[in-house]
Amino acid sequence: MHSSLLWFVALYLLISVGIGLYAATRVHTAKDFAVAGRHLPLPVVTATVFATWFGAEAVFGVSATFVKEGLHGVVADPFGASLCLIIAGLIFGTKLYKLNVLTLGDYFRLRYNRTVEVLATICICTAYLGWVAAQIKALGLVFSVLTSGAMSEETGMILGTLIVLTYTTFGGMLSVAILDFVQMGLIMGGMIYIANIVGDSTGGFAPVIEHARQAGKFEFLPPPDLREWLAFIGFGLTMMLGSIPQQDVFQRITSAKTAKIAIWGSILGGTIYFCFTFVPMFIAYAATLIDPVGLGALIQTDHQRVLPLLVLEHTPLLAQVVFFGAVLAAIMSCSSATLLAPSVAFSENILRGLFPRMTDHRFLWMMRVTIVCFAMIVLAFALNSASTIFGMVENAYKVTLAGAFVPLIMGIYWQRATTQGALAAIFGGVLSWLLVEFMVGAESLVPPQMVGLVVSFAGMFAGSLLPQWVGRPTHMFDPHAELHHQAAAHTHHVGSE
């Protein structure tokens, strides 16, 4: 291990924290903190949308899964994930941007009522536990590899959490957006550079691609078996639809200066993400050709270490500096945003309702305290979880698919959706998913989260069309006209504080 590499990495981390803390000096209100004041230009929105997903799972998880299972194994990410960013941008940019709300929970309150707001927010925040833990676990892995095991993965997780927590707590979305913009260039340039280095070691790109083709790694569709097809569809839809009702996606898209920028930023960010995720896949597969005995065997035992060990053992110092700088940039961008999002949602949609007379300044500090508390919970989960990085991410969005997707999408596109229908969708979807998950599990023909999605739709239709016992029948008025009126009043109230 070159001590020079450690010094370069330490310098990079200090610069990143410095940029984040500098951005924090421009955060004066809760709106600045939560959505960067809604004045981000197209390049920054594109970068921050791209960085939403390009983190630990894209670099370590997706690439290793591709080597083991081929394109069939990565239907959730990047296929489902990139489509999620594009679909979410079209929905949020055309329907929710003009409401000028801080969180998705605000929409649930305005469209339905306070109870739906709290329940949906709990679903959203719960989903982030596994997602953020995956990023923390990856930081621990990187620090452990960088120090040749002198620093344990557990110690690396603690150090990584403290670094990300520092600039996220003070700078919020503004720090995240600026760092994403700076780091996107480093991520893309670094990965392409490493791909070229690795390609030279294998005799070019063509031999790697041809070897993967002959090994059947480009077979995307599953074999003609009902269980295989349902699992395949379930994995894809969980990431594609379950990720739409997520605060980090909403936050990044609605931080745009205009609705048009929000839409195009999400389309460009999602498209770039889809294309660029194939770069670490190529690098990981090439690793098995460069060192089939060492790295090839590692795929079966500890596949998350393949990429970092390839770079450390088979590339020059400059390539190592570029790679680990790019990897840390990707993971830190992703982890900061996914740490910020649930904390903002919990503060705005659960805690704020308990303290309605809170000033904007106090609310800003409440969000910061919530971030610290959530970070400690995530760290404890990461330290005690045996799941892989890819597994954590893949399972994270089952709860939002079953509990939050239907109330969101039906509230936007179906005027007759009611509060009673939303409550039936949330309770029915989550309870049926948990019931099948824990009582049937892997033996279920239909993936448990898909059962929850179907029951959630059924609950929404039944609850909205049957006689109303909860809330008001929203089909008696124009929901979006009402939302505009309430959102304007909400914005005026926040500004007057």
Side-chain angles (χ1 to χ4, degrees), residues 48 168 172-181 252 333 336-337 340:
T48 197
T168 307
M173 188 61 203
L174 191 59
S175 289
V176 169
I178 292 174
L179 277 171
D180 283 350
F181 182 67
R252 288 166 180 252
S333 293
S336 59
L340 175 68

Side-chain angles (χ1 to χ4, degrees), residues 99 110 479-490:
L99 296 181
L110 297 173
H480 290 288
E482 178 73 5
L483 280 171
H484 284 306
H485 173 74
Q486 293 184 44
H490 172 76

Side-chain angles (χ1 to χ4, degrees), residues 38 67 124 308 330 406 422 430 447 459 468:
R38 300 190 87 184
V67 173
I124 291 170
V406 171
V430 172
Q468 300 299 297

Side-chain angles (χ1 to χ4, degrees), residues 152-211:
S152 67
E153 288 194 26
E154 290 75 15
T155 304
M157 290 183 206
I158 296 171
L159 177 61
T161 301
L162 292 176
I163 292 171
V164 174
L165 191 59
T166 300
Y167 66 81
T168 307
T169 302
F170 289 99
M173 188 61 203
L174 191 59
S175 289
V176 169
I178 292 174
L179 277 171
D180 283 350
F181 182 67
V182 173
Q183 291 169 336
M184 182 179 178
L186 181 60
I187 292 167
M188 298 184 73
M191 287 294 173
I192 291 173
Y193 174 68
I194 294 298
N196 278 298
I197 293 287
V198 171
D200 290 341
S201 301
T202 57
F205 293 93
V208 179
I209 295 172
E210 179 60 23
H211 190 283

Side-chain angles (χ1 to χ4, degrees), residues 67 198 201-212 215 282-293 295-296 299 306 310 314:
V67 173
V198 171
S201 301
T202 57
F205 293 93
V208 179
I209 295 172
E210 179 60 23
H211 190 283
F282 167 82
I283 298 172
Y285 194 83
T288 63
L289 303 184
I290 294 172
D291 185 4
V293 177
L295 297 177
I299 282 288
V306 169
L310 164 72
H314 298 278

Side-chain angles (χ1 to χ4, degrees), residues 31-55:
K31 189 174 181 180
D32 290 340
F33 188 85
V35 291
R38 300 190 87 184
H39 56 242
L40 299 182
L42 180 61
V44 179
V45 174
T46 301
T48 197
V49 168
F50 165 81
T52 304
W53 292 150
F54 201 84

Side-chain angles (χ1 to χ4, degrees), residues 51-54 57 76-77 80-82 84-85 104 123-135 234-250 252 273 334-335 337-339 341-342 389-406 429-430 433 437 448-450 452-453:
T52 304
W53 292 150
F54 201 84
E57 77 297 336
D77 193 358
S82 54
C84 162
L85 293 175
L104 279 174
C123 287
I124 291 170
C125 291
T126 302
Y128 279 102
L129 188 61
W131 177 261
V132 186
Q135 313 310 313
F235 284 131
L237 288 184
T238 299
M239 195 74 174
M240 182 171 67
L241 303 182
S243 303
I244 290 176
Q246 286 297 327
Q247 179 61 22
D248 63 322
V249 177
F250 174 80
R252 288 166 180 252
Y273 173 79
C334 194
S335 56
T338 50
L339 186 60
I389 293 169
F390 191 74
M392 283 182 169
V393 172
E394 201 170 45
N395 293 323
Y397 297 113
K398 292 180 179 180
V399 61
T400 42
L401 180 70
F405 175 73
V406 171
V430 172
W433 160 58
E437 186 78 57
Q449 69 272 22
M450 297 303 294
L453 178 64

